[in-house]
Amino acid sequence: MDALDVSRWQFGITTVYHFILVPLTIGLAPLIAVMQTMWVITKKDHWYRLTKFFGKFFLINFALGVATGIVQEFQFGMNWSEYSRFVGDVFGAPLALEGLVAFFLESTFLGLWIFGWGRLPKLVHLATIWLVAIGVNASAFFIIAANSFMQHPVGAVYNEERGRAELTSIWELLTNNTALAAFPHVVAGAFLTAGTFIAGIGGWWMVRNMRRAKAATDPVVAAANENTARTMFRPVTIFAMWVMVASGVGLAITGDIQAKLMFEQQPMKMASAESLCHTETGADFSILTVGTQNNCENITQLISIPGLTSFLANGDPNSTLMGVTELQAQYEEQFGPGNYKPNLFVTYWTFRAMIGWAAGSAILAVVGLWMTRGGRVPDQKWFGWLSLLAIPTPFLGNSAGWVFTEMGRQPWVVHPNPTGVDQIRLLVDQGVSDHPTALVFASLITFTLVYAALGVVWFMLIRRYAIAGPSDHDMRPPGDEVPPDDSGEPKQLSFAY
Amino acid sequence: MGLQEFWFILVAVLFVGYFVLEGFDFGVGMLFPVLGRTDTRRRVMLNTIGPVWDGNEVWLITAGGAMFAAFPDWYATLFSGFYLPLLLILVALILRICAIEWRGKIDDPTWRARCDVGIMIGSWVPAVLWGVAFANIVRGVAIDENKKVVSGFFELLNPYALLGGATTAIVFALHGAVFLALKTSGEVREDSVKLAARLSIPTVVVAGAFVLWTQLAYGKGWTWILVAVAAAALVGVVALTAVAREGWAFVLTTVAVIATVVLLFGSLYPNLMPSTIDEAYNLTIYNASSSPYTLKVMTWAAVFVTPVVIGYQAWTYWVFRQRISTAQIPPSIGLPAKSR
């Protein structure tokens, strides 16, 4: 391995790690804001308890999300300095806007939300979590706009003298069709993740409370448990399942739009996703192939749906699609000799994994909505386990999707836009910093170990808080709209680290 | 004033904001072993920065983003050139973030002790290394004709830079002690006042030497004003901490931090990173900046958004303006230690 490979591994590991945490934050913030809004509107204490209960997961997750995110802000300069010079004029703008508009908003108002219980007026406090929700989603938009420039550069010209891309229109950059398709896709994925997380924990607790109610000899304990299951976990689980249904539909629609764009703008990525080795008319959609890793010619199609890929690409099952081999020849002619094929094995399987893992959420939503129909509260043990098992699936789907998107654009770090400025393109090996391999290796090892250790702690905390359930401490909300106490009388803080 | 000058000033402002605000955050964490003798006292200390530390840290992220957008060559050269110090700073910040947020989640002395180590590492390492890094930026490093830093890690550890690291460490510790005196009441306040008074004289010596060295070696005529302001502020802190006037003392430590950062940026101007190989290889605000269009767009964004950010951050400080004492710390609601 040379510095290039190590740098690629490092960026991949740190980014995938970051994006395990990010979708939960993006999706959970608005859903917690909805729970708190329900509490403010209905004044029912169990919405308050749910807000506090899921708020804890949100904070545990947010911390590691921020910690892993900081690295990303500097990694471009550290490991990809030539890339940073080439695109900094364009790429830096959305990054700076993200900090200025989104990060300040979410971090400041999250502090107000955490510490503001019982200190801020109720409605002001509710506004703080909504601003956090807006902040996390706004940051997603800016960073996706930045990433979309790498997939499909627009709004820029090439400056011959400086040898770099220069921004000509921030509007074109922020309304890049790739960004406008990717942003809702990522947000839908985030809502699916958070919805599955809430429905998973809620469903498990619903079953747990019902079984405790049945097993209890004391009628008061039995009634309390059934009441919690029926009035607290059932509504929030059903709500989360409808969020899952809506985001699932959103994912399918935005995914289809994105794929159509990719066939047009990054045909190599889609051809390798479909193991489409040679140009075909009426290309089939491959469901299962076997073959040697990363060699197009040795792949045998086992199951496929006739004409579906052509239909998905152009809305016409008989349309002609370019294959990997022909695209390679075309690129060599256009950009000179070189290997322009991504890793076919990875792109093929991550594309299928991304779609396939959605089944976890789909099964939970369909089964769960059936089990809770007409006022029913499930108490079947298998349903509790199904709820828990579904939780990791959207995380895996998100990771697979990003690995597909990013590794599908290899060997480019800035993929040439077929209808854009020809010189705005950069190969990954032209973007990497000129470091000794050992140096980059040291940082790779450091980050991997630190992240792995913190990941274990993160999982342990999430698991323990899920098992512990809503705490008794959060049974009742703190006194409403307490005026700030300037009398000097020591009043206990409503929250302290 | 051109846009390149404006963005140089804006990046300086972002770093001023970062060092003023994170300065006392670092100081609070650095003083954990000294002032936090019990868990409750540590919780008092931590909760003085509880609602604001995350927002304070974003000043750094935004400063990084602003450097990337306005001076991409500076961003690329600096962060690839100062690879190891930055790696250490990042790891330290990662540990600090998780330690602060997760500390109260488990009610177990071992767990808390480990988190406290994370908070201390996360406060000490950046407090020292930012000083080393900025002193080297002002001093200049070996930058070749390809805008690449060719000097190694150990060349960053020159006497001037080490003095810079000592300066940021001791100034942040003092800034933190004064901040704690201002934000707490009872025993923590009394001890913070005493500690601040004891720290103030060595701070004058160390920071005074660094500021003077900076001025004599790299300063300009007008930056003498900043030397005078920084020196006067620090001497004022000595007097004010001696009579326990922590409010005014905090104003003066803030002024001292601002004056020092402005002195560093003022000495640097119009360079961004001077080269010790050849002056022709210096990165300047003219040869390392973005295109006029990018600077213009970013200027509009900064002019409209920055005052709003400052407004709501100031409001946050106002909301949480009350002093905290050990009596106000609620019982821990973390999950019990695992017995298995």
Side-chain angles (χ1 to χ4, degrees):
Chain A
M1 289 213 285
D2 55 9
L4 173 64
D5 291 325
V6 184
S7 297
R8 282 185 61 197
W9 272 106
Q10 179 174 326
F11 204 93
I13 288 171
T14 51
T15 312
V16 166
Y17 201 99
H18 184 53
F19 205 72
I20 288 172
L21 312 156
V22 165
L24 189 58
T25 300
I26 294 177
L28 212 45
L31 296 183
I32 289 172
V34 169
M35 292 181 206
Q36 191 172 336
T37 308
M38 290 298 289
W39 171 58
V40 170
I41 292 173
T42 66
K43 299 187 176 63
K44 286 183 178 152
D45 281 354
H46 56 257
W47 282 112
Y48 170 79
R49 291 190 77 191
L50 287 164
T51 307
K52 294 290 268 189
F53 179 51
F54 286 107
K56 284 195 181 105
F57 298 109
F58 179 70
L59 297 181
I60 291 167
N61 188 65
F62 191 87
L64 196 52
V66 170
T68 53
I70 285 192
V71 175
Q72 303 299 356
E73 186 83 15
F74 296 98
Q75 210 176 152
F76 299 109
M78 289 170 79
N79 284 354
W80 304 95
S81 53
E82 297 315 305
Y83 160 82
S84 302
R85 287 182 216 282
F86 183 72
V87 297
D89 196 276
V90 187
F91 193 82
L95 242 62
L97 287 173
E98 185 186 24
L100 205 56
V101 176
F103 288 159
F104 271 127
L105 193 70
E106 63 182 29
S107 60
T108 309
F109 284 95
L110 186 63
L112 279 157
W113 186 70
I114 299 173
F115 287 83
W117 290 101
R119 183 181 290 256
L120 290 169
K122 221 172 179 178
L123 285 175
V124 176
H125 186 254
L126 178 63
T128 61
I129 187 70
W130 277 108
L131 287 169
V132 173
I134 292 168
V136 293
N137 281 277
S139 83
F141 177 74
F142 286 115
I143 198 65
I144 287 168
N147 178 272
S148 296
F149 178 80
M150 301 162 73
Q151 312 276 355
H152 178 239
V154 294
V157 291
Y158 181 72
N159 180 332
E160 197 88 40
E161 193 193 330
R162 297 284 296 259
R164 70 177 185 188
E166 288 188 353
L167 188 64
T168 53
S169 166
I170 186 84
W171 178 249
E172 279 179 42
L173 182 75
L174 296 179
T175 56
N176 187 347
N177 56 14
T178 309
L180 294 184
F183 174 64
H185 194 63
V186 168
V187 168
F191 273 88
L192 187 73
T193 309
T196 309
F197 186 84
I198 294 174
I201 292 179
W204 187 65
W205 266 100
M206 197 156 55
V207 171
R208 213 176 175 195
N209 278 131
M210 285 308 275
R211 295 184 76 84
R212 279 182 182 176
K214 267 191 181 168
T217 44
D218 182 348
V220 178
V221 174
N225 271 297
E226 189 175 341
N227 187 44
T228 306
R230 194 174 289 280
T231 58
M232 187 160 127
F233 283 115
R234 187 175 173 276
V236 81
T237 305
I238 292 175
F239 163 65
M241 283 167 179
W242 282 114
V243 169
M244 288 158 73
V245 171
S247 45
V249 172
L251 274 173
I253 295 169
T254 52
D256 180 56
I257 295 169
Q258 256 193 308
K260 284 188 167 58
L261 279 178
M262 276 183 201
F263 273 115
E264 213 176 292
Q265 295 167 354
Q266 297 176 303
M268 185 64 108
K269 186 190 279 188
M270 289 315 291
S272 56
E274 297 301 345
S275 280
L276 190 67
C277 287
H278 297 286
T279 300
E280 271 181 51
T281 301
D284 299 351
F285 183 89
S286 159
I287 297 195
L288 184 67
T289 62
V290 284
T292 45
Q293 292 186 3
N294 199 18
N295 183 351
C296 209
E297 304 301 333
N298 275 343
I299 287 172
T300 314
Q301 291 283 350
L302 286 188
I303 312 172
S304 56
I305 303 175
L308 184 60
T309 297
S310 283
F311 178 73
L312 288 176
N314 298 312
D316 171 12
N318 292 315
S319 59
T320 306
L321 294 177
M322 294 271 280
V324 170
T325 320
E326 288 74 18
L327 284 165
Q328 168 68 24
Q330 186 196 320
Y331 282 3
E332 274 185 52
E333 197 180 313
Q334 215 176 337
F335 306 118
N339 179 6
Y340 296 98
K341 290 179 278 196
N343 184 314
L344 297 162
F345 181 80
V346 172
T347 38
Y348 181 85
W349 283 110
T350 49
F351 189 67
R352 267 134 206 86
M354 169 183 78
I355 298 168
W357 283 119
S361 302
I363 292 168
L364 178 61
V366 170
V367 173
L369 286 171
W370 173 256
M371 300 283 285
T372 52
R373 72 193 184 281
R376 286 178 179 78
V377 189
D379 64 352
Q380 290 88 335
K381 217 168 189 171
W382 64 265
F383 182 69
W385 281 108
L386 174 71
S387 304
L388 286 187
L389 282 174
I391 293 176
T393 57
F395 290 88
L396 294 165
N398 290 327
S399 297
W402 268 114
V403 171
F404 165 64
T405 305
E406 296 299 283
M407 287 190 69
R409 92 179 129 72
Q410 295 299 330
W412 302 103
V413 65
V414 180
H415 192 286
N417 179 349
T419 57
V421 182
D422 199 35
Q423 297 99 319
I424 300 185
R425 58 170 203 263
L426 196 72
L427 292 163
V428 172
D429 56 5
Q430 298 168 324
V432 73
S433 296
D434 179 24
H435 288 310
T437 308
L439 186 67
V440 191
F441 206 72
S443 69
L444 169 69
I445 299 284
T446 311
F447 283 130
T448 309
L449 290 180
V450 171
Y451 281 15
L454 292 174
V456 170
V457 179
W458 169 84
F459 181 77
M460 183 274 287
L461 285 171
I462 299 264
R463 183 175 165 274
R464 286 205 60 190
Y465 271 87
I467 291 172
S471 80
D472 296 336
H473 175 82
D474 295 324
M475 277 301 258
R476 293 265 173 277
D480 296 348
E481 288 150 63
V482 184
D485 186 4
D486 280 324
S487 61
E489 280 290 299
K491 185 174 81 72
Q492 267 193 0
L493 303 170
S494 56
F495 176 86
Y497 277 132
Chain B
M1 186 174 64
L3 287 175
Q4 288 149 327
E5 286 80 6
F6 175 81
W7 273 87
F8 182 78
I9 293 171
L10 197 71
V11 171
V13 166
L14 288 166
F15 273 107
V16 164
Y18 177 61
F19 287 127
V20 166
L21 297 172
E22 279 271 271
F24 58 73
D25 292 351
F26 290 146
V28 168
M30 290 161 83
L31 298 176
F32 253 43
V34 188
L35 292 174
R37 281 192 294 276
T38 63
D39 183 58
T40 313
R41 287 180 59 142
R42 289 190 179 197
R43 291 182 70 195
V44 168
M45 294 169 71
L46 197 53
N47 283 288
T48 59
I49 58 168
V52 294
W53 67 270
D54 194 8
N56 295 345
E57 194 166 79
V58 175
W59 285 81
L60 170 67
I61 310 298
T62 306
M67 287 166 85
F68 202 171
F71 304 107
D73 283 311
W74 189 19
Y75 173 85
T77 302
L78 176 64
F79 293 131
S80 64
F82 288 16
Y83 196 89
L84 275 181
L86 195 67
L87 174 66
L88 294 174
I89 288 174
L90 290 175
V91 170
L93 291 179
I94 291 172
L95 293 178
R96 193 180 72 123
I97 293 165
C98 292
I100 292 178
E101 286 283 354
W102 292 350
R103 188 182 188 280
K105 296 292 171 206
I106 305 284
D107 201 0
D108 171 27
T110 321
W111 170 267
R112 301 225 157 142
R114 282 183 195 154
C115 287
D116 290 346
V117 171
I119 291 172
M120 282 182 267
I121 293 174
S123 304
W124 275 96
V125 171
V128 174
L129 288 184
W130 280 126
V132 174
F134 268 86
N136 274 307
I137 292 173
V138 172
R139 180 178 176 270
V141 285
I143 297 173
D144 68 6
E145 68 275 23
N146 300 317
K147 297 180 174 174
K148 277 192 195 108
V149 178
V150 291
S151 49
F153 174 64
F154 292 100
E155 284 156 73
L156 297 178
L157 304 178
N158 53 76
Y160 172 67
L162 291 176
L163 183 63
T167 301
T168 44
I170 197 163
V171 168
F172 290 161
L174 176 67
H175 195 38
V178 174
F179 176 78
L180 281 171
L182 181 66
K183 287 290 294 177
T184 58
S185 55
E187 45 173 338
V188 183
R189 180 186 177 190
E190 287 159 24
D191 290 354
S192 303
V193 170
K194 274 184 224 152
L195 182 73
R198 250 185 291 154
L199 271 174
S200 58
I201 291 172
T203 308
V204 172
V205 175
V206 175
F210 176 69
V211 166
L212 204 59
W213 189 340
T214 305
Q215 174 62 31
L216 293 175
Y218 315 103
K220 304 188 170 65
W222 67 271
T223 52
W224 275 111
I225 302 167
L226 298 162
V227 177
V229 170
L234 286 172
V235 171
V237 175
V238 175
L240 287 166
T241 50
V243 293
R245 293 294 300 268
E246 61 265 16
W248 282 107
F250 182 71
V251 171
L252 289 189
T253 52
T254 303
V255 169
V257 173
I258 296 172
T260 310
V261 179
V262 176
L263 169 67
L264 292 172
F265 275 85
S267 308
L268 198 55
Y269 181 86
N271 290 322
L272 297 169
M273 266 179 108
S275 168
T276 51
I277 297 177
D278 186 335
E279 265 186 42
Y281 304 154
N282 285 2
L283 294 190
T284 70
I285 62 169
Y286 306 109
N287 70 15
S289 76
S290 287
S291 60
Y293 176 78
T294 298
L295 292 178
K296 203 173 85 188
V297 168
M298 294 312 297
T299 302
W300 280 107
V303 163
F304 278 103
V305 182
T306 315
V308 179
V309 170
I310 293 174
Y312 63 62
Q313 285 211 335
W315 178 64
T316 308
Y317 279 89
W318 174 252
V319 168
F320 300 107
R321 66 192 176 279
Q322 289 148 303
R323 289 175 182 269
I324 302 173
S325 70
T326 46
Q328 280 159 287
I329 296 297
S332 175
I333 50 164
L335 293 178
K338 233 181 173 106
S339 50
R340 271 167 287 156

